[in-house]
Amino acid sequence: MRVDPVEKHLFLEGILMKYGYDFRQYSEASLNRRLTSILGDKRSLLGVLDEILSDSTKFQKLLPRLTVNTTEPFRDPRFYRSIREHVVPVLKTYPLLNVWSAGCSTGEELYSLLILFKEEGLFDRTTFFATDISPEALSKAKLGIYSHEVVQQFTRNYTEAGGTRAPSEYYTAEYGSVCFDSRLRENVVFSDHNLVVDDVFTEMNLILCRNVLIYFNRNLQNKVLELFDRSLAAKGFLGLGSRESIRFSSIYNKFEDVDKAQRIYRKLGSSQ
């Protein structure tokens, strides 16, 4: 079913005005696929809009279908190995650290970061901020309960990413699912945060936002990268997804490559 451009415009404007979520600058192809899926057997987006404007619970159920929650533990293991080799040694020179997992989705990559920091002796001095636009995804991240399939991915990727312990040390298996150790969440602040409309909330030493920008158009990508620039301390690090880059953005000249292949960058400027 083809998405009517007028209905699409009204649908997105209605969500923005009522709930403050701005999807207008998401990648057109990606957004159209999600809107087509939402339409299903319904006649029009205007009918869907009428339902969610009159019932906020229906909107909350719809929201995960507008966002993208594709992730896995230690996704792209070479990225995490590079964090160990190139970023961790610098972070070890700081007495206290703030780390932001932006667009953390359901938390698989957040737990990867927590485990890495635990193994590298950085966990106790770090406050982790895990944010996402979707309350439903955040709730799952807070619980840390996943399917056995996720743990199979974790075991495979963890070893390739340079893990130093038995993967099973970090979770318990019950009733067909696995739960990550609750102690991993002790230093985590979970919070709703919309990268499109929300602003800086504290100064960070490391920001990871992986495989989120690919769903935004160029203007919105630039806006979010400027947010990360404002959020990072001098000499802070930024990690993006394998298909994302700062190359053509307004912040390009403010950063240097740490690992170009793995999309890890460091902000220029003198340390405070």
Side-chain angles (χ1 to χ4, degrees), residues 2 4 6 20 31 42 49 52 64 87 105 114 117 119 127 131 139 141 162 165 167 173 196 204 215 227 235 241 244:
R2 179 177 175 272
D4 183 274
V6 175
L31 183 58
K42 296 183 182 294
L49 180 62
I52 62 176
V87 177
S105 187
L114 297 173
F117 271 55
E119 293 183 352
T127 300
T131 68
S139 294
R165 302 179 187 175
V196 179
M204 302 294 171
Y215 299 106
L227 169 64
K235 296 292 186 178
E244 299 165 336

Side-chain angles (χ1 to χ4, degrees), residues 63-116:
L63 184 58
R65 299 179 65 184
L66 284 169
T67 58
V68 179
N69 296 316
T70 303
T71 184
E72 65 183 60
F74 287 98
R75 184 179 186 179
D76 302 322
R78 286 178 292 178
F79 171 86
Y80 288 95
R81 184 177 286 274
S82 186
I83 292 288
R84 285 186 189 268
E85 295 174 353
H86 299 115
V87 177
V88 164
V90 178
L91 296 182
K92 284 183 176 180
T93 67
Y94 292 89
L96 296 173
L97 296 165
N98 286 331
V99 172
W100 182 12
S101 177
C104 72
S105 187
T106 48
E108 287 91 329
E109 291 196 81
L110 168 66
Y111 285 98
S112 308
L113 192 61
L114 297 173
I115 289 168
L116 189 156

Side-chain angles (χ1 to χ4, degrees), residues 115-130:
I115 289 168
L116 189 156
F117 271 55
K118 178 73 78 173
E119 293 183 352
E120 294 295 337
L122 290 171
F123 182 85
D124 291 337
R125 72 178 82 169
T126 304
T127 300
F128 301 88
F129 298 87

Side-chain angles (χ1 to χ4, degrees), residues 18-36:
K18 176 72 173 182
Y19 297 108
Y21 290 91
D22 191 352
F23 295 100
R24 295 174 302 174
Q25 296 188 68
Y26 275 48
S27 165
E28 185 173 3
S30 176
L31 183 58
N32 283 345
R33 284 194 298 272
R34 278 172 274 170
L35 292 177
T36 299

